[in-house]
Amino acid sequence: MHSKNEIESEIQKLHKFRFLMKNESISNIRNNLHFSEIWADVFWRRRKNHSKRYDPEIQFIFSKNAKTILEIGTAYGRVLNKIAVENEKQTIKAELFGIEICKYCNKYFQAYSKKHSLLENCNIIFDDFLKINKAYQRQFDVIVLPMNTFPSFPISMLGDLFSAIRKHLNPGGLWIFSTYKPKANDNKYNPENLRENHSGELLIELGKDIIAGEHYQFPAVKKDYGMQAINYSSYNRLTLQYKLEEREIYRNIREFINPDDLKKIIRDNDFRIKFIDTSSHSAVYCLSTN
């Protein structure tokens, strides 16, 4: 957790950089990006950039003839559709499920499903995986957390994540997730690779309003377990005449955990590492509870 004083210090710097408007303060900063409607719009408009992304987790999903597969963070269905395509190649087909925390992604999942018909046979719910409704007590042979989503969980929440996975994973099942690989040769994250960064994006959709995103990452801070990076994003919704309609500012934390420390966290949460694959842009972990 970060104190109010730490966040106020960040905000002062953001004002100095003119990232924030003059009247914006700590009361304007939100921490719930992935619950918001503007996030669903942003992620949907990034779909063309994501369309050619290689997802290294998928090659390991069907290694044990799974009958039930759950993807966490389905959004509009890009990865789940890839899983569905691979599922069609299997002799025994698995039942496919997805869970997405942002309810505003539902309309985009429906739109994407119309062009990718295999998604119509998938079961998706819009809920928080960590606080999933007690009525939904399914267990799965494989649970997948793709797209380097793992670092988006603050280290303080990892216990809850491991607990939720254990509750919904069948005995003998597999949990597959991906995370960023260290770039330094000494098995430690190099702060030079996590330095200050400022970027922006213009997200347009024919006949729709315009979304302009601006992003600022503070220099990563060294921690006992690796590195921590604080990121701010502002999303500005503009009319087609470029009039500002909506502006939201979000603060996010990314955790970069050293591989040795991550292995210890895994063991401390009573999971066993089946294997780790580092042949792609990500490190893919495959875990079991026995």
PDB file of all heavy atoms in Angstrom, residues 99-103 125-133 136:
ATOM      1  N   ILE A  99     -14.086 -15.596 -17.768  1.00  0.00           N
ATOM      2  CA  ILE A  99     -14.583 -14.671 -16.754  1.00  0.00           C
ATOM      3  C   ILE A  99     -13.916 -13.328 -16.980  1.00  0.00           C
ATOM      4  O   ILE A  99     -12.725 -13.246 -17.271  1.00  0.00           O
ATOM      5  CB  ILE A  99     -14.343 -15.194 -15.317  1.00  0.00           C
ATOM      6  CG1 ILE A  99     -15.001 -14.243 -14.302  1.00  0.00           C
ATOM      7  CG2 ILE A  99     -12.864 -15.402 -15.025  1.00  0.00           C
ATOM      8  CD1 ILE A  99     -15.076 -14.827 -12.893  1.00  0.00           C
ATOM      9  N   GLU A 100     -14.703 -12.266 -16.893  1.00  0.00           N
ATOM     10  CA  GLU A 100     -14.211 -10.905 -17.142  1.00  0.00           C
ATOM     11  C   GLU A 100     -14.773  -9.969 -16.077  1.00  0.00           C
ATOM     12  O   GLU A 100     -15.971  -9.958 -15.826  1.00  0.00           O
ATOM     13  CB  GLU A 100     -14.637 -10.436 -18.538  1.00  0.00           C
ATOM     14  CG  GLU A 100     -14.394  -8.973 -18.831  1.00  0.00           C
ATOM     15  CD  GLU A 100     -12.958  -8.543 -18.591  1.00  0.00           C
ATOM     16  OE1 GLU A 100     -12.040  -9.246 -19.062  1.00  0.00           O
ATOM     17  OE2 GLU A 100     -12.766  -7.512 -17.917  1.00  0.00           O
ATOM     18  N   ILE A 101     -13.891  -9.193 -15.459  1.00  0.00           N
ATOM     19  CA  ILE A 101     -14.282  -8.323 -14.359  1.00  0.00           C
ATOM     20  C   ILE A 101     -15.061  -7.096 -14.831  1.00  0.00           C
ATOM     21  O   ILE A 101     -15.856  -6.526 -14.083  1.00  0.00           O
ATOM     22  CB  ILE A 101     -13.029  -7.896 -13.559  1.00  0.00           C
ATOM     23  CG1 ILE A 101     -13.425  -7.393 -12.172  1.00  0.00           C
ATOM     24  CG2 ILE A 101     -12.203  -6.862 -14.324  1.00  0.00           C
ATOM     25  CD1 ILE A 101     -12.238  -7.194 -11.246  1.00  0.00           C
ATOM     26  N   CYS A 102     -14.849  -6.697 -16.086  1.00  0.00           N
ATOM     27  CA  CYS A 102     -15.472  -5.471 -16.597  1.00  0.00           C
ATOM     28  C   CYS A 102     -16.761  -5.803 -17.344  1.00  0.00           C
ATOM     29  O   CYS A 102     -16.737  -6.324 -18.456  1.00  0.00           O
ATOM     30  CB  CYS A 102     -14.501  -4.733 -17.522  1.00  0.00           C
ATOM     31  SG  CYS A 102     -15.168  -3.177 -18.155  1.00  0.00           S
ATOM     32  N   LYS A 103     -17.888  -5.479 -16.740  1.00  0.00           N
ATOM     33  CA  LYS A 103     -19.187  -5.807 -17.344  1.00  0.00           C
ATOM     34  C   LYS A 103     -19.411  -5.072 -18.664  1.00  0.00           C
ATOM     35  O   LYS A 103     -20.190  -5.513 -19.507  1.00  0.00           O
ATOM     36  CB  LYS A 103     -20.312  -5.479 -16.367  1.00  0.00           C
ATOM     37  CG  LYS A 103     -20.447  -3.996 -16.043  1.00  0.00           C
ATOM     38  CD  LYS A 103     -21.564  -3.728 -15.044  1.00  0.00           C
ATOM     39  CE  LYS A 103     -21.712  -2.237 -14.751  1.00  0.00           C
ATOM     40  NZ  LYS A 103     -22.795  -1.961 -13.784  1.00  0.00           N
ATOM     41  N   ILE A 125     -18.925 -15.335 -17.951  1.00  0.00           N
ATOM     42  CA  ILE A 125     -19.607 -14.564 -16.918  1.00  0.00           C
ATOM     43  C   ILE A 125     -18.811 -13.292 -16.652  1.00  0.00           C
ATOM     44  O   ILE A 125     -17.589 -13.251 -16.853  1.00  0.00           O
ATOM     45  CB  ILE A 125     -19.792 -15.360 -15.611  1.00  0.00           C
ATOM     46  CG1 ILE A 125     -18.452 -15.732 -14.988  1.00  0.00           C
ATOM     47  CG2 ILE A 125     -20.645 -16.586 -15.836  1.00  0.00           C
ATOM     48  CD1 ILE A 125     -18.579 -16.293 -13.581  1.00  0.00           C
ATOM     49  N   PHE A 126     -19.502 -12.265 -16.240  1.00  0.00           N
ATOM     50  CA  PHE A 126     -18.871 -10.985 -15.932  1.00  0.00           C
ATOM     51  C   PHE A 126     -18.907 -10.819 -14.418  1.00  0.00           C
ATOM     52  O   PHE A 126     -19.949 -10.512 -13.837  1.00  0.00           O
ATOM     53  CB  PHE A 126     -19.570  -9.851 -16.680  1.00  0.00           C
ATOM     54  CG  PHE A 126     -19.331  -9.938 -18.161  1.00  0.00           C
ATOM     55  CD1 PHE A 126     -20.155 -10.709 -18.970  1.00  0.00           C
ATOM     56  CD2 PHE A 126     -18.245  -9.306 -18.735  1.00  0.00           C
ATOM     57  CE1 PHE A 126     -19.915 -10.826 -20.328  1.00  0.00           C
ATOM     58  CE2 PHE A 126     -17.989  -9.420 -20.088  1.00  0.00           C
ATOM     59  CZ  PHE A 126     -18.820 -10.177 -20.891  1.00  0.00           C
ATOM     60  N   ASP A 127     -17.759 -11.069 -13.800  1.00  0.00           N
ATOM     61  CA  ASP A 127     -17.667 -11.082 -12.344  1.00  0.00           C
ATOM     62  C   ASP A 127     -16.190 -10.936 -11.965  1.00  0.00           C
ATOM     63  O   ASP A 127     -15.301 -11.064 -12.808  1.00  0.00           O
ATOM     64  CB  ASP A 127     -18.241 -12.390 -11.790  1.00  0.00           C
ATOM     65  CG  ASP A 127     -18.735 -12.261 -10.345  1.00  0.00           C
ATOM     66  OD1 ASP A 127     -18.346 -11.279  -9.675  1.00  0.00           O
ATOM     67  OD2 ASP A 127     -19.498 -13.133  -9.903  1.00  0.00           O
ATOM     68  N   ASP A 128     -15.945 -10.689 -10.690  1.00  0.00           N
ATOM     69  CA  ASP A 128     -14.596 -10.588 -10.156  1.00  0.00           C
ATOM     70  C   ASP A 128     -14.152 -11.984  -9.738  1.00  0.00           C
ATOM     71  O   ASP A 128     -14.749 -12.593  -8.844  1.00  0.00           O
ATOM     72  CB  ASP A 128     -14.592  -9.637  -8.952  1.00  0.00           C
ATOM     73  CG  ASP A 128     -13.210  -9.417  -8.361  1.00  0.00           C
ATOM     74  OD1 ASP A 128     -12.283 -10.179  -8.700  1.00  0.00           O
ATOM     75  OD2 ASP A 128     -13.058  -8.479  -7.551  1.00  0.00           O
ATOM     76  N   PHE A 129     -13.125 -12.516 -10.369  1.00  0.00           N
ATOM     77  CA  PHE A 129     -12.682 -13.881 -10.084  1.00  0.00           C
ATOM     78  C   PHE A 129     -12.309 -14.057  -8.613  1.00  0.00           C
ATOM     79  O   PHE A 129     -12.502 -15.125  -8.038  1.00  0.00           O
ATOM     80  CB  PHE A 129     -11.491 -14.243 -10.971  1.00  0.00           C
ATOM     81  CG  PHE A 129     -10.967 -15.643 -10.741  1.00  0.00           C
ATOM     82  CD1 PHE A 129     -11.693 -16.747 -11.145  1.00  0.00           C
ATOM     83  CD2 PHE A 129      -9.745 -15.845 -10.103  1.00  0.00           C
ATOM     84  CE1 PHE A 129     -11.217 -18.038 -10.916  1.00  0.00           C
ATOM     85  CE2 PHE A 129      -9.266 -17.126  -9.876  1.00  0.00           C
ATOM     86  CZ  PHE A 129     -10.004 -18.225 -10.285  1.00  0.00           C
ATOM     87  N   LEU A 130     -11.776 -13.009  -7.992  1.00  0.00           N
ATOM     88  CA  LEU A 130     -11.366 -13.111  -6.595  1.00  0.00           C
ATOM     89  C   LEU A 130     -12.547 -13.077  -5.639  1.00  0.00           C
ATOM     90  O   LEU A 130     -12.414 -13.460  -4.478  1.00  0.00           O
ATOM     91  CB  LEU A 130     -10.394 -11.980  -6.237  1.00  0.00           C
ATOM     92  CG  LEU A 130      -9.098 -11.916  -7.042  1.00  0.00           C
ATOM     93  CD1 LEU A 130      -8.182 -10.844  -6.470  1.00  0.00           C
ATOM     94  CD2 LEU A 130      -8.385 -13.260  -7.073  1.00  0.00           C
ATOM     95  N   LYS A 131     -13.696 -12.597  -6.126  1.00  0.00           N
ATOM     96  CA  LYS A 131     -14.877 -12.494  -5.263  1.00  0.00           C
ATOM     97  C   LYS A 131     -16.083 -13.131  -5.946  1.00  0.00           C
ATOM     98  O   LYS A 131     -17.205 -12.665  -5.810  1.00  0.00           O
ATOM     99  CB  LYS A 131     -15.186 -11.024  -4.960  1.00  0.00           C
ATOM    100  CG  LYS A 131     -14.033 -10.279  -4.291  1.00  0.00           C
ATOM    101  CD  LYS A 131     -14.350  -8.798  -4.155  1.00  0.00           C
ATOM    102  CE  LYS A 131     -13.178  -8.046  -3.540  1.00  0.00           C
ATOM    103  NZ  LYS A 131     -13.440  -6.578  -3.465  1.00  0.00           N
ATOM    104  N   ILE A 132     -15.822 -14.164  -6.659  1.00  0.00           N
ATOM    105  CA  ILE A 132     -16.846 -14.759  -7.526  1.00  0.00           C
ATOM    106  C   ILE A 132     -18.071 -15.199  -6.720  1.00  0.00           C
ATOM    107  O   ILE A 132     -17.946 -15.666  -5.592  1.00  0.00           O
ATOM    108  CB  ILE A 132     -16.238 -15.942  -8.303  1.00  0.00           C
ATOM    109  CG1 ILE A 132     -17.116 -16.312  -9.499  1.00  0.00           C
ATOM    110  CG2 ILE A 132     -16.001 -17.125  -7.432  1.00  0.00           C
ATOM    111  CD1 ILE A 132     -16.414 -17.211 -10.489  1.00  0.00           C
ATOM    112  N   ASN A 133     -19.228 -15.021  -7.313  1.00  0.00           N
ATOM    113  CA  ASN A 133     -20.496 -15.359  -6.672  1.00  0.00           C
ATOM    114  C   ASN A 133     -20.497 -16.809  -6.183  1.00  0.00           C
ATOM    115  O   ASN A 133     -20.084 -17.717  -6.898  1.00  0.00           O
ATOM    116  CB  ASN A 133     -21.632 -15.156  -7.697  1.00  0.00           C
ATOM    117  CG  ASN A 133     -22.991 -15.232  -7.053  1.00  0.00           C
ATOM    118  OD1 ASN A 133     -23.300 -16.192  -6.352  1.00  0.00           O
ATOM    119  ND2 ASN A 133     -23.805 -14.223  -7.290  1.00  0.00           N
ATOM    120  N   TYR A 136     -21.621 -19.741  -8.232  1.00  0.00           N
ATOM    121  CA  TYR A 136     -20.808 -20.236  -9.344  1.00  0.00           C
ATOM    122  C   TYR A 136     -19.656 -21.042  -8.755  1.00  0.00           C
ATOM    123  O   TYR A 136     -18.588 -20.527  -8.460  1.00  0.00           O
ATOM    124  CB  TYR A 136     -20.279 -19.060 -10.166  1.00  0.00           C
ATOM    125  CG  TYR A 136     -19.709 -19.461 -11.503  1.00  0.00           C
ATOM    126  CD1 TYR A 136     -20.555 -19.765 -12.570  1.00  0.00           C
ATOM    127  CD2 TYR A 136     -18.330 -19.541 -11.703  1.00  0.00           C
ATOM    128  CE1 TYR A 136     -20.041 -20.135 -13.796  1.00  0.00           C
ATOM    129  CE2 TYR A 136     -17.816 -19.907 -12.930  1.00  0.00           C
ATOM    130  CZ  TYR A 136     -18.670 -20.201 -13.976  1.00  0.00           C
ATOM    131  OH  TYR A 136     -18.147 -20.562 -15.198  1.00  0.00           O
TER     132      TYR A 136
END
